[in-house]
Amino acid sequence: MKLYLGDKCWDKLFELPKNVQLRVRDFQRKFKENPFSPAINLEKIASFEDDSLRTARIDDTYRAIIGVASGDTYCLLYIDHHDEAMRWAQHKRFAWNSYTNSFQGRSITREEVVEPRGKERDDTVFAKYTDEQLLRIGVPEHQLPLVRSIKDMDDLEKAESSLSGDVFEYLFYLMDDGTDINNIITEVEAGKEQDGDSTINNKRNFIEITDDEELERVIAEGTEKWQIFLHPSQRLLVEKSYAGSLKVTGGGGTGKTVAAIHRLKKLTEKGSMKSVLYTTFTRTLIKNISSRVRSMGIKSENCVIENIDKLALDMAKSYGLIPQTATVLDYGPSSRTSEEIWDGIVTDNLSQFDTRFLKREYLDVIVYNNNKTIDDYYRQSRTGRTQPVNRKQRTEIWNLVEQYVARKKESQLYDRNEIFNLIANHLNENGIHPFKHVIADEIQDFSNPELRFLRALVEEGPDDLFLVGDPYQRIYNNRKIAFSQVGINVRGKRSKRLRVNYRTTEEIKRAATNVVNGCAFDDFDGSPESLAGYVSLMHGDRPEYKIYDNRNEEIAAIIDFIRMCRENGIEYKDIVVASYIKDSIKPVQDALHRNNIPYKNLMNEGTGNDNGVNLSSFHNMKGLEFKVVILSDVNKKTFPYLPYGFEGLDEIEKKNHLMNQKALMYVAITRAMQKVLITGSGIKADL
């Protein structure tokens, strides 16, 4: 016989006391031996609306809800106290869908009852699709009247609880972004393929328990859901081999990093030692990734997991491209600044160009485009630069740049992106490719020099680059990146987009997307990126934004909210309090200390109590997730935050800054899984 474990049961399993979890382990073993044993008491319940559902005894207190798929195939759907389990199952329906080759579970509600089908209505949103098309995307035949009664998005949302998750998702795509139904059918057909003991589509929500030790290992190790269940679109990304590079985009919480880690596991299993690199921009995220990789059982000797800055710096030193004692300009609060050097050059040369212009021209044009000679610079387009320069002026600028480079070299100083160009040029000129595969996460925070470096790290070929990011989370770099300019080809079928948000509720997702509505982001290669079709299948409380008369009142309210969360069973470690301005966190930390609430400071190498409330800046939350997110000190002055000299920026720079600010708020909100509270004092910000 076969016994499957559903994702809803998985969620419930890890809410149970440890001793009950172990009884579940024993139960599944006994069930597979003999499901009709008197001790199990597999029982059909007359009050259940679905005849295929049964109850079974875990112990005197807990009951399992079992779905009977066929004579020898069962699904463990839910576990709870007797009465709660009975209530959960009463209005549920469970069945195998032969069009998708997957189990479907849903609730039976009044919205499912519609008028009998007569003449086809042409004012409903799905009238243009044939029955066959709707069946092939997973709509059960008896639900065709319900689907055809839907007139708008409000109707679809009312019907959501009556639909299985996959069907709601596909109908949402058809309505929200006009996805071609034939593309969905193609995706469903691909997901019908066998992946081990089950189809790719079925593994979205159900996994087979294949041996007695498997569930025990899962319980003992505290295996997380993301390690087991993958959306078909994620699993296909992980399992498929590509002729070259692959780009994966998606909104916050769509499982881009999850797919990347599973991809790492697959590539390390077939590659040689240290042949696979996993890199990203922030050091905080690298720590998180390293922890996740260990939990997946990926051996450290088979891969390199490193922050891209450290990787490039170490490689540049190892190849003798820069001295061992070299330091990076503008890198950290105590580092020397490039402005100091440019100020001296401007003074010495009485240049018509000021420090600000020269710094940006050097970084955004010459370094960004890897101009090695003055002839390169003469030919270089200056897209995005508002002040035009003629050939004579370019000659003057290049002479000043040569002085700048010479002065830096004397002091063993280097600009950050300059280092990426140095090592990329060296690798390309010498035919050196240290890795077979490269996975890069959060690529929206990279620029062309970093991408050029990634391209040089691995030889062009099958599965060479796996690039993951969200254009809407671009918070560190004002320059648009362009894969085509650095030799990375991801056009056509090698560009994929994930659309199902697994982290946040639909209510939180909408609050986040409202912040960036109207902003034009591109897909890293000149085409527009869209959040259309971006959906969450979870629901919860709407985020709140509360403003107070003063900061003390605001902080007192934050403490009260944290206490309320704790009383409702949320651990301190699952809560984060963050501010855009780092100094704004200090009074919150002091208040936590006064109230004997433990805390951990993520901005200070994670110092403090690992089980305490997390304290962070918006930037430091990048790539992390928490059940509860509290965004403090959000008011008219802090959002959008306008730095000193903002009015002196040109229009393009102003626009880019404001977009980055909105993107940062979007990032901060999408870190939340269950609750978002935004607080401030003074005048309310326009969110």
Side-chain angles (χ1 to χ4, degrees):
M1 69 161 292
K2 289 186 177 182
L3 179 62
Y4 288 86
L5 178 66
D7 62 337
K8 297 293 189 297
C9 189
W10 179 281
D11 293 337
K12 193 65 186 178
L13 176 64
F14 286 96
E15 293 177 8
L16 301 174
K18 199 73 170 181
N19 62 324
V20 180
Q21 293 179 14
L22 296 175
R23 288 182 199 135
V24 173
R25 173 204 62 187
D26 296 337
F27 165 83
Q28 65 88 24
R29 177 177 54 79
K30 294 174 182 176
F31 189 94
K32 288 176 14 181
E33 290 172 354
N34 181 12
F36 303 107
S37 165
I40 289 176
N41 191 29
L42 189 66
E43 185 178 10
K44 186 176 180 179
I45 306 297
S47 62
F48 287 178
E49 297 189 35
D50 187 346
D51 288 341
S52 70
L53 298 184
R54 305 285 189 272
T55 65
R57 183 187 294 117
I58 301 294
D59 59 21
D60 291 340
T61 302
Y62 287 88
R63 291 293 183 273
I65 303 299
I66 304 289
V68 182
S70 67
D72 62 348
T73 301
Y74 301 86
C75 289
L76 187 54
L77 300 175
Y78 199 70
I79 299 169
D80 209 334
H81 291 92
H82 178 278
D83 291 351
E84 285 79 2
M86 300 289 280
R87 280 194 291 271
W88 182 89
Q90 186 175 359
H91 302 296
K92 292 290 189 300
R93 178 165 286 175
F94 168 78
W96 177 262
N97 189 309
S98 59
Y99 283 93
T100 63
N101 281 356
S102 64
F103 296 119
Q104 290 180 325
R106 57 190 179 81
S107 297
I108 305 171
T109 65
R110 285 181 296 178
E111 283 74 19
E112 188 168 345
V113 181
V114 298
E115 296 179 3
R117 292 182 65 184
K119 185 180 177 193
E120 200 67 65
R121 293 174 57 181
D122 59 8
D123 64 337
T124 62
V125 72
F126 301 117
K128 62 182 178 182
Y129 304 116
T130 67
D131 284 357
E132 178 67 16
Q133 286 177 311
L134 294 174
L135 290 169
R136 291 182 70 184
I137 67 170
V139 178
E141 187 171 4
H142 67 273
Q143 283 197 311
L144 289 172
L146 170 66
V147 171
R148 293 202 177 278
S149 72
I150 294 170
K151 299 186 293 294
D152 50 34
M153 189 63 77
D154 285 342
D155 279 356
L156 179 61
E157 290 177 351
K158 288 176 183 176
E160 182 176 359
S161 60
S162 297
L163 302 168
S164 62
D166 57 337
V167 171
F168 176 82
E169 176 192 333
Y170 296 142
L171 296 178
F172 182 90
Y173 295 160
L174 294 173
M175 292 186 68
D176 194 58
D177 66 353
T179 299
D180 188 332
I181 195 169
N182 291 311
N183 292 339
I184 298 176
I185 291 171
T186 300
E187 181 178 308
V188 171
E189 290 297 315
K192 291 168 69 173
E193 297 177 5
Q194 288 289 127
D195 180 36
D197 295 314
S198 185
T199 67
I200 292 171
N201 286 340
N202 198 50
K203 280 190 170 183
R204 168 180 177 155
N205 299 113
F206 298 91
I207 59 164
E208 185 181 359
I209 304 173
T210 56
D211 59 70
D212 293 342
E213 288 76 36
E214 185 174 1
L215 193 60
E216 183 170 6
R217 177 185 60 79
V218 163
I219 293 171
E221 296 178 3
T223 304
E224 295 185 65
K225 190 174 179 178
W226 64 268
Q227 297 176 235
I228 304 295
F229 298 96
L230 291 179
H231 188 278
S233 59
Q234 292 174 305
R235 196 170 293 279
L236 287 167
L237 290 177
V238 170
E239 298 295 333
K240 189 175 178 180
S241 183
Y242 296 89
S245 304
L246 183 72
K247 179 194 72 175
V248 181
T249 62
T254 52
K256 300 180 297 295
T257 295
V258 167
I261 293 173
H262 279 268
R263 183 70 169 176
L264 176 67
K265 182 176 178 65
K266 181 174 179 64
L267 293 174
T268 54
E269 288 173 348
K270 69 175 187 178
S272 55
M273 285 182 62
K274 305 294 186 183
S275 64
V276 187
L277 168 70
Y278 193 118
T279 189
T280 190
F281 186 77
T282 63
R283 284 171 290 188
T284 304
L285 184 55
I286 281 292
K287 290 181 179 179
N288 180 263
I289 295 297
S290 297
S291 174
R292 289 189 173 199
V293 166
R294 287 193 297 273
S295 72
M296 285 282 288
I298 301 172
K299 296 180 179 179
S300 59
E301 60 265 26
N302 291 344
C303 60
V304 174
I305 302 171
E306 188 58 90
N307 160 261
I308 193 168
D309 286 89
K310 187 175 186 304
L311 179 70
L313 189 63
D314 289 348
M315 289 183 70
K317 289 178 178 179
S318 69
Y319 285 112
L321 304 176
I322 62 175
Q324 293 293 323
T325 53
T327 56
V328 183
L329 290 163
D330 306 312
Y331 200 72
S334 59
S335 65
R336 287 191 62 184
T337 67
S338 53
E339 284 90 344
E340 299 174 36
I341 303 172
W342 279 118
D343 282 343
I345 290 170
V346 170
T347 300
D348 293 347
N349 290 270
L350 299 175
S351 173
Q352 63 178 299
F353 301 106
D354 62 17
T355 290
R356 183 173 165 276
F357 173 87
L358 290 167
K359 175 183 176 179
R360 297 266 52 94
E361 185 74 6
Y362 177 66
L363 294 176
D364 295 347
V365 178
I366 295 172
V367 174
Y368 181 83
N369 293 292
N370 197 24
N371 293 162
K372 302 174 187 176
T373 68
I374 191 170
D375 289 331
D376 293 337
Y377 182 46
Y378 285 150
R379 293 188 295 267
Q380 184 61 57
S381 166
R382 299 175 64 256
T383 304
R385 300 287 284 156
T386 56
Q387 182 177 335
V389 293
N390 56 36
R391 185 179 178 91
K392 182 179 178 182
Q393 289 171 318
R394 292 197 188 207
T395 301
E396 179 186 344
I397 292 168
W398 190 263
N399 289 333
L400 296 173
V401 164
E402 287 183 329
Q403 293 181 47
Y404 173 72
V405 172
R407 293 191 187 190
K408 286 194 302 173
K409 193 172 182 178
E410 287 175 7
S411 302
Q412 298 186 4
L413 298 170
Y414 294 83
D415 285 285
R416 177 181 174 275
N417 280 349
E418 180 185 22
I419 294 173
F420 291 111
N421 283 346
L422 282 171
I423 184 64
N425 292 339
H426 178 79
L427 295 176
N428 287 328
E429 290 164 5
N430 292 277
I432 302 170
H433 306 290
F435 299 99
K436 188 175 181 179
H437 310 283
V438 171
I439 299 170
D441 203 351
E442 305 283 357
I443 59 168
Q444 71 276 354
D445 295 325
F446 292 7
S447 62
N448 274 17
E450 289 122 304
L451 292 176
R452 194 174 294 113
F453 170 60
L454 293 180
R455 177 67 281 171
L457 288 173
V458 57
E459 186 176 5
E460 289 191 57
D463 304 321
D464 51 0
L465 292 169
F466 190 86
L467 307 169
V468 176
D470 178 8
Y472 283 81
Q473 296 188 51
R474 190 168 178 80
I475 63 176
Y476 287 111
N477 200 315
N478 288 327
R479 291 288 308 199
K480 290 183 178 180
I481 60 179
F483 288 166
S484 56
Q485 292 180 12
V486 297
I488 298 174
N489 178 18
V490 291
R491 296 188 182 271
K493 293 184 178 181
R494 285 197 270 133
S495 253
K496 306 293 183 180
R497 182 168 164 245
L498 298 174
R499 298 190 285 187
V500 181
N501 186 327
Y502 286 99
R503 179 189 300 136
T504 72
T505 63
E506 178 67 10
E507 290 74 18
I508 294 172
K509 185 220 80 177
R510 288 179 181 177
T513 55
N514 283 340
V515 174
V516 293
N517 276 345
C519 295
F521 293 86
D522 74 20
D523 67 347
F524 309 134
D525 226 10
S527 298
E529 181 76 3
S530 171
L531 287 172
Y534 176 37
V535 63
S536 173
L537 306 181
M538 303 174 291
H539 291 277
D541 298 333
R542 289 184 178 181
E544 293 187 276
Y545 182 15
K546 297 182 177 181
I547 206 78
Y548 298 89
D549 290 336
N550 56 65
R551 186 82 165 119
N552 288 336
E553 286 184 13
E554 178 196 356
I555 292 172
I558 290 172
I559 298 298
D560 288 343
F561 185 75
I562 291 171
R563 285 173 170 156
M564 183 269 291
C565 290
R566 186 68 191 90
E567 289 168 1
N568 289 330
I570 297 173
E571 301 289 338
Y572 287 135
K573 63 184 176 66
D574 294 321
I575 303 171
V576 65
V577 184
S579 296
Y580 176 80
I581 302 170
K582 291 183 178 181
D583 290 345
S584 296
I585 285 295
K586 183 62 167 64
V588 177
Q589 179 176 307
D590 293 342
L592 291 171
H593 182 76
R594 289 194 304 272
N595 287 275
N596 295 315
I597 298 174
Y599 57 85
K600 178 180 181 180
N601 193 329
L602 299 180
M603 299 175 291
N604 189 22
E605 301 296 325
T607 56
N609 191 322
D610 285 341
N611 293 313
V613 173
N614 298 278
L615 301 173
S616 178
S617 66
F618 284 8
H619 288 88
N620 272 81
M621 288 199 293
K622 195 74 181 298
L624 306 179
E625 60 184 30
F626 308 89
K627 289 182 179 178
V628 177
V629 169
I630 303 169
L631 305 179
S632 70
D633 196 27
V634 179
N635 54 45
K636 195 76 171 178
K637 290 183 178 180
T638 60
F639 182 81
Y641 180 76
L642 304 181
Y644 177 78
F646 177 79
E647 292 304 323
L649 301 177
D650 61 43
E651 290 307 308
I652 292 178
E653 290 172 322
K654 286 180 180 178
K655 180 183 177 182
N656 286 337
H657 175 80
L658 293 174
M659 282 182 63
N660 280 358
Q661 288 289 294
K662 290 185 177 185
L664 185 58
M665 181 63 72
Y666 165 86
V667 168
I669 294 173
T670 56
R671 300 307 95 196
M673 301 165 69
Q674 297 178 7
K675 293 180 180 292
V676 173
L677 174 65
I678 304 172
T679 66
S681 58
I683 302 173
K684 212 169 191 177
D686 184 17
L687 292 179

